[in-house]
Amino acid sequence: MANRLFARTRSRSLRTSHVVLLSALVSPMAAQAAPFCLQTQAIGPQCIYYDAGLCQKDAARQGGFCGANPDEVHLSANIGKYCVVTSGQASLCIYLDRGTCTTEAVRQGGACTESTGTAGTGAPDPYAAIGGR
């Protein structure tokens, strides 16, 4: 009698562990988004790249651009509108135009992405209230 009870209990626990394992394997991959996204005019962001250089190369080949996934990469605030982000997720936001940023990103094996915010650039303009006059 005890052997049957043990066999039934063991069978249930094995089924439960198989269900848990199967659901973990089938779960959506969106929760594990990659830090770099390829985007073109034809398709929305494809956040499937863990290597910034590979993302940048594919973007150049497809006529798109590679950028950092804002849900995965924290960009440093700085004076530039564009940032170079490396595969190690280090960012340097000092570029004023995408061309210069992209050139530097290719040189570093990184990706050029638009900055999420820039730091303040000096004192406020005292003439702003009167239209610069």
Side-chain angles (χ1 to χ4, degrees), residues 124-133:
D125 181 2
Y127 301 104
I130 56 173
R133 291 181 250 150

Side-chain angles (χ1 to χ4, degrees), residues 4-129:
R4 275 193 220 156
L5 181 60
F6 175 74
R8 256 189 269 148
T9 305
R10 184 168 179 215
S11 176
R12 283 184 194 148
S13 73
L14 282 174
R15 274 187 262 149
T16 303
S17 65
H18 286 201
V19 168
V20 169
L21 178 63
L22 184 60
S23 65
L25 292 173
V26 178
S27 67
M29 294 300 285
Q32 301 171 356
F36 299 98
C37 307
L38 170 69
Q39 187 169 354
T40 67
Q41 289 182 344
I43 57 172
Q46 292 184 324
C47 300
I48 58 172
Y49 294 89
Y50 288 89
D51 181 85
L54 179 60
C55 181
Q56 189 72 32
K57 284 179 187 174
D58 283 354
R61 193 187 62 194
Q62 296 181 32
F65 66 92
C66 177
N69 182 347
D71 295 333
E72 298 293 322
V73 177
H74 173 74
L75 299 174
S76 61
N78 212 321
I79 60 168
K81 183 175 178 173
Y82 297 94
C83 310
V84 170
V85 184
T86 63
S87 293
Q89 297 185 16
S91 63
L92 184 58
C93 302
I94 60 169
Y95 303 95
L96 301 177
D97 63 279
R98 185 176 289 278
T100 305
C101 179
T102 301
T103 300
E104 188 59 23
V106 169
R107 190 182 76 73
Q108 291 187 32
C112 175
T113 191
E114 194 165 341
S115 177
T116 54
T118 56
T121 55
D125 181 2
Y127 301 104

